[in-house]
Amino acid sequence: MLNVLKNRFEQGCKTSRYPKEKVQLLPRYRGRPEINPDAPSDVASACAAACPQNAIDPVAGTIDMGRCVFCGTCERISNGRFVTFTQDFAIAVAEKEHLFTKGDIPTLAEHSRQHFKKLFGRSLQLRQVSAAGCNACEADLNVLATPFFDLARFGINFVASPRHADGIVVTGPISRNMKTALLQTYEATPEPRVVIAVGSCTLTGGPFRGSPEITEGLDTLLPVDLFIPGCPPHPMTNLHALLNFFK
Amino acid sequence: MLEIVFLIPFLTGAGAFFLPNKIGRCLLVLTGAIHLILSVMIWAGRLTPIFPEYFAVTPEGLLSLLVISLLFFLISIYTIAYLKASDIHAENIFTGSMLLFLSTMTMVTLSDHIMVMWIAIEATTLASAPLIYTHRTAASLEATWKYVLICSVGIAMALLGSVLVTVAMDVGKVDAPISFTAMTDVAKKMDPMWLKAGFVFILVGYGTKMGLAPMHTWLPDAHSEAPSPASALLSGVLLNCAYLGIFKTNKIMHAAGLADFSGPILIVFGLISIMAAATFILKQTEYKRMLAYSSIENMGIIAFGTGIGGLGAYGAMICLIHHSLIKSSLFLTSGNILLGFGSRLIEHTGNLVNRMPKTFVAFFGGFAGISGFPPFGIFIGELLIIIGAFRTGNYVGAGFFILSLCVIFAGFANNVMKISFDTSDTTIRIKEEASLVWPQYALLLTSLVLCFWMPDTLHQTIIHAVNFDDFSTQAVEIVSRGGKVVQLFAFQANGTFRLMAVLRTDVLLVAACDAPETYPALTAKCEPFHMFEREIAEQYGIRPEGHPWLKMVRYHANCRSVDDVFGNDYTEDIPGRYDYYSVAGDEIHEVAVGPVHAGVIEPGHFRFNCIGERVLNLEIQLGYQHRGAEDLLLKADRKRIAFIAENIAGDTSVGHSLCHAQAMEALSGIQTDDGSKIIRTIGLELERIANHVGDLGALSGDVAFLPPANYCGRMRGDFLNMSLLMCGNRFGKGLVRPGGVRFPMNDDNRRDLTARIRELKPHVKHTIDLLFSTSSVRSRFEGCGTVSRSDAEKLGLVGPAGRACSIPYDVRRCFPTEHYGQLDIPENAEPTGDVWARAKVRADEVMQSIAFIESLLPDPVETEIIDMADMALAPDSFVVTLNEAWRGELSHCILTDGAGGILRYKVKDPSFHNWNGLSMSLRNTGISDFPLNNKSYNLSYCGFDL
């Protein structure tokens, strides 16, 4: 017993005071990309050619955050002259077209569905469906339940059954073998229901795009309400998205 | 019209007897050219036999045919010049016999029928005898008689042997054609005693013709008395033809499982031949006889290698080709020397280097080649045979082999030096015309080229000769003796399907063979092949007959578009339609879980057969996560593949990207610097710590001891943040790339990391102590989900799961990469095989890994930062990489094609071994203990499903 108490004091209180206080992520973290519209076109083209995800449109000067895996290759190649990744983790969007960005992302809270806020603002129960995810997105959703983030204090929980849920959170590029199970889980969730797509794979197929075994974009199967980009999205991105979209 | 290849030289040969010399000479070259064209057409698969029951194109036959054809063409050109420079009686008989000789040898290479082969080999004797008597001297007459008599006695033995082999079929009540192909298929059913007797007679019979000692006595006379072009044919290709008969019979012996009988006999004959040749070469006074003894030596080498089998057999094949090329070149050159000096005695020659400089180049090149100097092929062949001999524990044989090679070299070198550099006053009788030397140059050049550049199909032809039965017998033997399967997979190369195995003992062993359409399952004899054979069946539609558990792995159509082994039609929605193991009885019930689980985890289906609360069997059926990663790695742009490899399993991103990077570096010859090795090591260890700490927390939560569950959850995040600190991604994605790392470790990083670890280390230590010292935790962990060591060995468990069953294997210690060679990796083996042991191993590893990282941080780390290196991959190459990821042995294999493109990319995640360990843990355990056991393994679904 003494031992348990001693450990308790050693560990202290680790829960973040977010959103009351700002959270500063580590310097190498790559969040919201910003595009320099004045960059020379050859630099832009070089970035587009080097991008492993073909996420860059050098002519329009946009980057598709749905495809982007935030590897930072473009930032290095252009030496920051074309793309820079900021420390800003608030990158979730409510409309798919908002994923194509020049650097400015519409404020999520303003684009959320008002009736969702009313319905789920105080209590939101989510069923997570991993559909061929690599376990990184899953892990960084799971981590929201740990003391630092402590998702439950906001009235948001991951539950075991779709029957108990207000919506589903989908991760992974939706393999052919997982499609039926995903759709059945969706059907099993009572309406009104929310669909949240987490991670580059779910948004566009991510690194696996082009494989005949996957689906390139959850929105081709289900109406998606919230898009959270990243490979995987940082837990703060997930937390920010949930709080701003529903609270 | 396959038969046309030996019919044409037969007809032209018969014609040449009656035609004037001039036309005969033209006919000789013309037939050689046509024969070469036809042989190449056979190689390209354009000609098919009219009588398939007698003739067939086999890989080893094709190889010999190509050698014969090329040699004959070059020799025929030389012969024209030779005939002009020397005077020969009855030239029409000489040319006619040469052509008939070609015809009969071609027939040997193409015959598949045991009797037709015998007839063809006997025919070569008859066709070549007049060649030896060309010079019409007493000595040549004696040589001819010796040749005909001894070889005829030998060939009679071979006839008896062939009959005995057919008796073996009758006694075994096998009804099959007596072709080698058909007999190899039914060899298992043949009577072993008669087969053994047949083999001995055939070996002695064809061995006589091949020149194996002590039946070799005809060979030095015949080869030295025949005119040089004929000697070149006799030595270069006739011996191969005789060997072919032995090789094919030996193949039947292997298929019948009698390799233990045939191997030692071949080894003994091989060694006797080599030693006999060594004795006679040492004091040889005639250079043509010296060359003849060298042929006996090489035939001995080939027999020895064939007897060793495996690598040795491959070496023997290489020696066979290169001996033909080099030895025939040497005999042609000896023809020049004979024409020039007019004597066969070494003492009558000398100063070749100045007197006949062009001939000297060919002579000396041939000497270097035949003595096994690198870079000639004989060197590679002999080296492989020696390695093979050591590997099979044949140390005494290898010792005699090496010793004899040294003696032969000494004798050979002594004579070559005399011929080349001694003083001589003889006048040279001929002019060195171009056509008297360039055929030799061409032969030597071909040998050289084949060492550096082996045409893909030719290469396949050679490896092909190592057959499936050898492959499977050896694989089963190695694994039964405690070896482990690292990888076993199929691939397609040039239209044929092949199998590749990577096994490990205390070294890594690699072998490939042609994949049969169906084959007796290795799993039936040896359990560790279980998952691999299922995977091959699913990916390539190759059925392992008698596999005890032949079920789907990932639910997808095979890549060959042949019928699915499991009878599935993948246009329909298949997952879940699975033939589960079932248990019947009144009180038996089944529990089905998944694919969507209660928690935030990946999908998979678990089927429990229970009696009450007790689990009788758990069957785990995965495949839901299949993304086609291996195929995508082949098809995607080069710039993408590191990203795909890294995302095979997100919780093992560093492990997978490291295996990928090392493979690409090996294929492109890029070296990484020491700094990047340290950074990669730290990255991999951080990944290990984060996952182990997280799982220890989850284990604690599952036994309802919440304090460590919460602390570990938080601390896991802190370790993930250290990866974020290093590379901007919590899972280490983007840190490792082929060529090095993408992020430096500057002094600020090091200080920051050191401070974080210093703060966290006591927290981790105390939490682990709390977990393991709590009696309620102990009582739940101990004895729960026990797997015995012998089961773990059969299932091939790796990583912490294996170490918890007292299997200490750890890639970091056994095959260290990166900076691991300089770290002292402990064994960490626990004996109990239960949840306690798995938790304990992981807890120990956490503390060790923290210590490793601490030891790497004090010194500055300097490294060149790389991004996307543009890499050219070595063509026709194979690489396998191994690393100890946090779940255990992780391996990537890459095979490249002739243009340096990726032909096959094979990934094996440790979970591929370990999922069956979880099933085994649940046997006779309460079903409520499943979550606890599951978390003690925490296996990867996507790593398994790819």
Side-chain angles (χ1 to χ4, degrees):
Chain A
M1 189 64 206
L2 264 179
N3 214 349
V4 175
L5 287 174
K6 211 167 83 193
N7 264 281
R8 182 68 197 84
F9 284 115
E10 185 185 50
Q11 291 283 337
C13 177
K14 298 288 183 188
T15 307
S16 147
R17 296 188 57 77
Y18 181 84
K20 287 192 185 119
E21 284 176 14
K22 274 194 169 171
V23 168
Q24 179 62 41
L25 295 181
L26 291 163
R28 280 183 187 169
Y29 169 73
R30 292 175 295 277
R32 176 174 52 83
E34 271 178 357
I35 301 235
N36 172 17
D38 306 326
S41 66
D42 58 324
V43 175
S45 309
C47 289
C51 176
Q53 291 297 100
N54 291 353
I56 297 171
D57 183 340
V59 182
T62 59
I63 184 163
D64 176 1
M65 289 197 300
R67 279 193 169 187
C68 181
V69 293
F70 297 82
C71 66
T73 303
C74 48
E75 186 176 23
R76 283 172 181 235
I77 285 198
S78 65
N79 229 335
R81 282 187 293 159
F82 179 59
V83 186
T84 45
F85 287 91
T86 65
Q87 297 288 100
D88 180 9
F89 54 75
I91 53 175
V93 296
E95 308 293 342
K96 187 153 194 190
E97 53 267 30
H98 294 165
L99 289 168
F100 297 86
T101 183
K102 290 178 191 296
D104 47 332
I105 293 172
T107 316
L108 183 60
E110 289 167 10
H111 287 80
S112 65
R113 324 262 188 279
Q114 290 309 311
H115 67 288
F116 280 167
K117 289 204 174 192
K118 217 161 127 191
L119 275 168
F120 305 129
R122 293 170 63 80
S123 161
L124 177 65
Q125 311 299 315
L126 295 169
R127 167 67 256 193
Q128 203 274 323
V129 185
S130 166
C134 74
N135 207 22
C137 287
E138 289 80 354
D140 266 354
L141 284 170
N142 235 342
V143 83
L144 294 177
T146 60
F148 180 83
F149 304 98
D150 196 11
L151 191 64
R153 70 194 153 116
F154 303 108
I156 305 174
N157 287 299
F158 286 103
V159 294
S161 168
R163 298 288 190 210
H164 305 157
D166 303 312
I168 56 171
V169 180
V170 183
T171 52
I174 312 142
S175 56
R176 186 174 49 78
N177 290 341
M178 202 46 208
K179 201 189 259 176
T180 308
L182 170 66
L183 295 178
Q184 284 177 353
T185 311
Y186 172 73
E187 291 300 328
T189 312
E191 290 185 273
R193 57 199 165 199
V194 188
V195 176
I196 303 171
V198 175
S200 151
C201 287
T202 322
L203 267 47
T204 60
F208 297 100
R209 80 198 147 75
S211 168
E213 294 282 335
I214 61 137
T215 312
E216 295 187 358
L218 177 64
D219 58 318
T220 61
L221 296 176
L222 296 174
V224 178
D225 299 300
L226 179 56
F227 300 85
I228 310 184
C231 184
H234 193 280
M236 288 309 300
T237 307
N238 291 327
L239 187 59
H240 168 269
L242 292 175
L243 296 185
N244 282 271
F245 195 72
F246 293 106
K247 290 285 167 185
Chain B
M1 281 300 280
L2 188 71
E3 289 78 359
I4 197 170
V5 195
F6 57 81
L7 283 177
I8 288 182
F10 182 80
L11 293 174
T12 54
F17 282 113
F18 308 105
L19 291 170
N21 290 352
K22 254 208 170 121
I23 300 178
R25 289 179 194 177
C26 295
L27 217 49
L28 193 68
V29 180
L30 193 67
T31 313
I34 293 172
H35 192 270
L36 189 58
I37 293 166
L38 289 173
S39 302
V40 172
M41 278 172 71
I42 293 177
W43 187 22
R46 293 284 178 77
L47 295 179
T48 47
I50 305 174
F51 301 106
E53 61 269 45
Y54 300 129
F55 300 104
V57 181
T58 54
E60 59 274 11
L62 179 60
L63 198 62
S64 307
L65 178 63
L66 287 170
V67 172
I68 291 177
S69 203
L70 176 70
L71 248 58
F72 189 88
F73 178 63
L74 292 172
I75 290 172
S76 68
I77 292 169
Y78 175 87
T79 308
I80 305 299
Y82 185 86
L83 288 175
K84 277 182 196 159
S86 64
D87 59 319
I88 281 179
H89 292 288
E91 193 189 308
N92 52 348
I93 295 181
F94 180 77
T95 41
S97 300
M98 286 282 274
L99 287 168
L100 286 185
F101 191 28
L102 174 67
S103 161
T104 51
M105 286 193 298
T106 309
M107 195 166 151
V108 174
T109 61
L110 293 176
S111 56
D112 191 36
H113 190 280
I114 192 163
M115 289 302 162
V116 173
M117 174 145 219
W118 181 84
I119 294 169
I121 293 183
E122 173 65 8
T124 57
T125 316
L126 298 178
S128 54
L131 293 175
I132 301 172
Y133 187 53
T134 307
H135 285 309
R136 303 288 192 267
T137 59
S140 65
L141 186 61
E142 184 196 332
T144 312
W145 274 110
K146 242 181 169 176
Y147 173 61
V148 172
L149 281 179
I150 296 176
C151 285
S152 296
V153 173
I155 214 87
M157 296 258 206
L159 177 62
L160 191 58
S162 304
V163 171
L164 289 178
V165 172
T166 57
V167 171
M169 286 177 74
D170 284 343
V171 174
K173 297 200 169 41
V174 192
D175 185 26
I178 48 172
S179 69
F180 284 101
T181 324
M183 284 195 290
T184 311
D185 288 342
V186 298
K188 275 254 144 50
K189 298 183 203 146
M190 289 161 76
D191 184 76
M193 196 192 66
W194 288 102
L195 190 56
K196 282 180 187 173
F199 173 76
V200 172
F201 276 97
I202 289 183
L203 178 62
V204 172
Y206 290 151
T208 309
K209 187 93 195 188
M210 184 181 161
L212 289 180
M215 299 86 76
H216 68 285
T217 46
W218 61 272
L219 192 145
D221 290 342
H223 285 201
S224 60
E225 289 302 329
S228 297
S231 307
L233 275 185
L234 285 168
S235 177
V237 286
L238 178 61
L239 303 182
N240 295 6
C241 290
Y243 170 72
L244 215 51
I246 296 174
F247 179 87
K248 289 191 174 197
T249 319
N250 190 39
K251 216 167 146 180
I252 299 179
M253 294 294 281
H254 272 254
L258 298 173
D260 286 348
F261 177 80
S262 63
I265 299 182
L266 280 166
I267 291 177
V268 169
F269 271 112
L271 283 178
I272 293 176
S273 308
I274 302 170
M275 290 192 283
T279 321
F280 285 98
I281 280 185
L282 212 48
K283 284 281 162 203
Q284 198 47 250
T285 53
E286 289 186 22
Y287 51 86
K288 279 188 84 174
R289 285 182 84 85
M290 174 182 77
L291 293 180
Y293 277 110
S294 159
S295 294
I296 297 171
E297 172 220 347
N298 277 286
M299 289 303 119
I301 291 173
I302 290 161
F304 181 74
T306 312
I308 297 279
L311 209 54
Y314 182 52
M317 274 289 163
I318 292 182
C319 280
L320 191 72
I321 303 173
H322 288 277
H323 169 255
S324 294
L325 294 169
I326 298 170
K327 185 53 67 61
S328 48
S329 143
L330 271 172
F331 268 111
L332 297 183
T333 311
S334 77
N336 290 3
I337 300 174
L338 182 62
L339 291 175
F341 291 93
S343 169
R344 289 205 201 94
L345 293 175
I346 293 170
E347 59 182 2
H348 291 163
T349 63
N351 204 9
L352 191 67
V353 62
N354 292 322
R355 312 293 292 279
M356 301 174 81
K358 291 180 194 161
T359 306
F360 166 77
V361 172
F363 187 59
F364 209 81
F367 156 68
I370 209 76
S371 317
F373 273 72
F376 286 96
I378 302 243
F379 166 74
I380 302 168
E382 287 175 356
L383 192 69
L384 286 173
I385 292 173
I386 293 169
I387 294 172
F390 275 108
R391 209 171 264 176
T392 48
N394 217 316
Y395 303 113
V396 181
F400 278 115
F401 183 79
I402 297 170
L403 185 73
S404 309
L405 290 188
C406 293
V407 174
I408 289 166
F409 170 69
F412 218 114
N414 185 26
N415 290 336
V416 169
M417 292 301 147
K418 281 186 197 157
I419 297 171
S420 306
F421 304 114
D422 268 10
T423 49
S424 158
D425 46 11
T426 323
T427 43
I428 300 299
R429 301 171 182 193
I430 55 154
K431 249 184 74 192
E432 287 185 281
E433 280 176 42
S435 55
L436 274 178
V437 283
W438 79 254
Q440 288 96 301
Y441 291 164
L443 287 166
L444 290 177
L445 204 65
T446 313
S447 168
L448 266 182
V449 167
L450 283 181
C451 298
F452 293 108
W453 173 82
M454 181 82 83
D456 206 28
T457 26
L458 193 59
H459 193 69
Q460 300 298 342
T461 317
I462 297 176
I463 293 187
H464 190 127
V466 179
N467 60 22
F468 173 77
D469 299 290
D470 264 5
F471 178 87
S472 76
T473 322
Q474 289 200 25
V476 167
E477 194 179 300
I478 291 165
V479 176
S480 312
R481 283 199 203 141
K484 292 286 178 289
V485 190
V486 176
Q487 299 254 28
L488 174 66
F489 59 89
F491 63 98
Q492 183 180 15
N494 304 307
T496 56
F497 291 91
R498 299 172 58 74
L499 295 177
M500 174 82 81
V502 182
L503 308 178
R504 78 176 144 81
T505 52
D506 45 358
V507 292
L508 285 180
L509 308 166
V510 179
C513 74
D514 268 16
E517 202 49 40
T518 65
Y519 66 95
L522 308 186
T523 311
K525 294 180 210 147
C526 191
E527 295 88 342
F529 294 101
H530 165 205
M531 291 307 300
F532 295 97
E533 291 197 305
R534 282 169 64 180
E535 186 184 45
I536 291 169
E538 187 171 71
Q539 291 183 337
Y540 284 82
I542 297 166
R543 178 185 288 276
E545 294 293 350
H547 191 291
W549 205 254
L550 190 57
K551 299 186 179 193
M552 295 152 264
V553 182
R554 303 181 180 112
Y555 303 99
H556 60 80
N558 60 55
C559 68
R560 293 165 61 198
S561 309
V562 296
D563 284 348
D564 186 61
V565 169
F566 313 97
N568 287 333
D569 171 10
Y570 287 100
T571 54
E572 292 170 30
D573 201 23
I574 293 291
R577 273 195 233 166
Y578 185 85
D579 183 20
Y580 289 100
Y581 182 75
S582 65
V583 180
D586 284 347
E587 292 175 36
I588 301 292
H589 65 103
E590 279 192 354
V591 180
V593 182
V596 181
H597 297 290
V600 184
I601 44 172
E602 299 172 64
H605 185 93
F606 299 78
R607 185 69 61 99
F608 299 86
N609 298 117
C610 301
I611 180 159
E613 292 288 298
R614 187 157 63 88
V615 179
L616 294 175
N617 185 59
L618 160 62
E619 190 162 4
I620 300 168
Q621 174 243 315
L622 302 173
Y624 293 96
Q625 295 276 72
H626 182 58
R627 297 151 296 179
E630 285 181 357
D631 282 344
L632 194 59
L633 283 164
L634 302 184
K635 290 175 195 145
D637 290 347
R638 240 350 128 67
K639 67 177 181 179
R640 286 181 60 195
I641 64 173
F643 289 83
I644 298 166
E646 170 172 84
N647 282 292
I648 288 169
D651 51 24
T652 318
S653 294
V654 180
H656 276 286
S657 55
L658 190 55
C659 273
H660 169 76
Q662 288 168 349
M664 298 294 277
E665 285 154 10
L667 287 174
S668 55
I670 292 179
Q671 301 285 328
T672 55
D673 55 33
D674 291 342
S676 70
K677 286 184 178 133
I678 290 175
I679 296 173
R680 287 169 167 198
T681 305
I682 294 175
L684 192 62
E685 291 309 307
L686 277 178
E687 185 169 270
R688 189 183 323 280
I689 299 170
N691 283 294
H692 283 348
V693 166
D695 287 341
L696 288 171
L699 281 169
S700 185
D702 271 358
V703 297
F705 188 47
L706 297 183
N710 283 312
Y711 308 156
C712 285
R714 188 272 297 182
M715 293 187 300
R716 172 173 174 276
D718 288 339
F719 284 109
L720 291 178
N721 282 336
M722 291 186 205
S723 294
L724 181 73
L725 187 142
M726 284 174 74
C727 69
N729 185 296
R730 282 161 54 90
F731 296 85
K733 290 185 180 181
L735 173 62
V736 181
R737 282 295 177 271
V741 290
R742 286 180 70 225
F743 295 90
M745 174 84 80
N746 56 34
D747 292 346
D748 286 345
N749 296 142
R750 284 195 300 119
R751 267 193 294 275
D752 196 350
L753 263 182
T754 312
R756 281 165 186 262
I757 286 184
R758 188 179 301 138
E759 190 195 332
L760 210 52
K761 189 180 176 185
H763 293 194
V764 177
K765 175 89 178 63
H766 297 152
T767 307
I768 287 176
D769 287 348
L770 176 63
L771 178 68
F772 284 86
S773 63
T774 304
S775 53
S776 64
V777 171
R778 262 199 107 112
S779 79
R780 290 282 284 111
F781 280 13
E782 281 179 352
C784 181
T786 305
V787 177
S788 70
R789 174 165 186 168
S790 75
D791 284 344
E793 297 270 9
K794 285 180 193 162
L795 295 170
L797 299 192
V798 292
R803 290 193 280 278
C805 304
S806 45
I807 302 171
Y809 174 65
D810 186 326
V811 184
R812 294 177 296 170
R813 195 181 63 254
C814 301
F815 302 104
T817 62
E818 305 304 332
H819 198 67
Y820 288 110
Q822 285 150 62
L823 297 176
D824 189 15
I825 314 285
E827 288 208 342
N828 289 327
E830 289 285 326
T832 48
D834 50 6
V835 172
W836 168 267
R838 288 187 283 275
K840 185 72 174 46
V841 168
R842 297 173 77 175
D844 289 347
E845 287 182 15
V846 168
M847 298 317 295
Q848 290 155 8
S849 295
I850 290 177
F852 294 150
I853 296 177
E854 279 182 319
S855 76
L856 294 175
L857 285 175
D859 300 318
V861 182
E862 281 177 24
T863 180
E864 189 91 7
I865 296 309
I866 55 98
D867 227 301
M868 304 292 252
D870 207 6
M871 329 191 112
L873 305 185
D876 290 324
S877 299
F878 170 69
V879 62
V880 53
T881 55
L882 292 179
N883 280 294
E884 184 77 11
W886 63 276
R887 287 189 185 97
E889 178 190 89
L890 178 63
S891 170
H892 285 208
C893 285
I894 302 180
L895 263 162
T896 56
D897 60 22
I902 299 177
L903 184 70
R904 179 80 162 100
Y905 198 119
K906 186 78 200 79
V907 176
K908 186 211 64 186
D909 191 271
S911 300
F912 198 64
H913 296 282
N914 285 358
W915 274 110
N916 281 315
L918 176 57
S919 283
M920 192 54 75
S921 278
L922 261 285
R923 291 258 167 107
N924 285 316
T925 301
I927 190 169
S928 53
D929 279 341
F930 173 71
L932 186 60
N933 275 290
N934 189 23
K935 281 172 189 122
S936 72
Y937 286 93
N938 190 7
L939 300 171
S940 179
Y941 298 73
C942 54
F944 179 95
D945 287 344
L946 299 176

